[in-house]
Amino acid sequence: MYQDKTLVCKECGKEFVFTAGEQEFYAEKGFENEPQRCKECRDARKSANRANRVMYDAVCASCGAECQVPFKPREDRPVYCSECFAKMKEEQA
């Protein structure tokens, strides 16, 4: 059904392949637009966004471990470390 497509990265101008598998994934997720950047430029962009992120110290409400979160903790809401948060998500699924 899908065939590999060669696209041009709008960031660096290099050609990259938008594979049939990636196209199928995009369709399953309901994405309508094709990627505009190659994998390297997408990864670099994500890294730059993460580097500028302010992290806040917190204590996990479940296990008591010290952790960092990308939002300012409030007294009226519990904060969980990555492991406890992942466990909670698994239990809800």
Side-chain angles (χ1 to χ4, degrees):
M1 182 175 173
Y2 296 102
Q3 293 184 337
D4 289 358
K5 287 184 183 180
T6 301
L7 304 176
V8 177
C9 178
K10 78 175 198 176
E11 196 82 23
C12 68
K14 290 190 328 189
E15 290 186 346
F16 65 98
V17 177
F18 185 35
T19 67
E22 290 171 328
Q23 291 173 51
E24 188 174 351
F25 174 79
Y26 271 52
E28 286 173 7
K29 294 293 182 183
F31 300 151
E32 296 178 5
N33 300 323
E34 295 178 342
Q36 296 184 5
R37 293 176 179 83
C38 64
K39 173 128 176 64
E40 293 80 18
C41 288
R42 286 195 311 261
D43 290 345
R45 193 172 161 99
K46 286 180 191 175
S47 294
N49 288 340
R50 286 189 184 123
N52 296 333
R53 185 183 293 180
V54 175
M55 299 295 280
Y56 298 89
D57 292 328
V59 176
C60 178
S62 182
C63 70
E66 291 186 10
C67 58
Q68 288 197 319
V69 293
F71 56 88
K72 190 170 183 174
R74 299 185 342 207
E75 294 297 321
D76 62 331
R77 307 270 328 249
V79 174
Y80 301 99
C81 66
S82 301
E83 288 101 29
C84 291
F85 186 75
K87 286 179 194 172
M88 288 175 49
K89 283 184 77 169
E90 281 179 18
E91 291 170 3
Q92 290 176 356

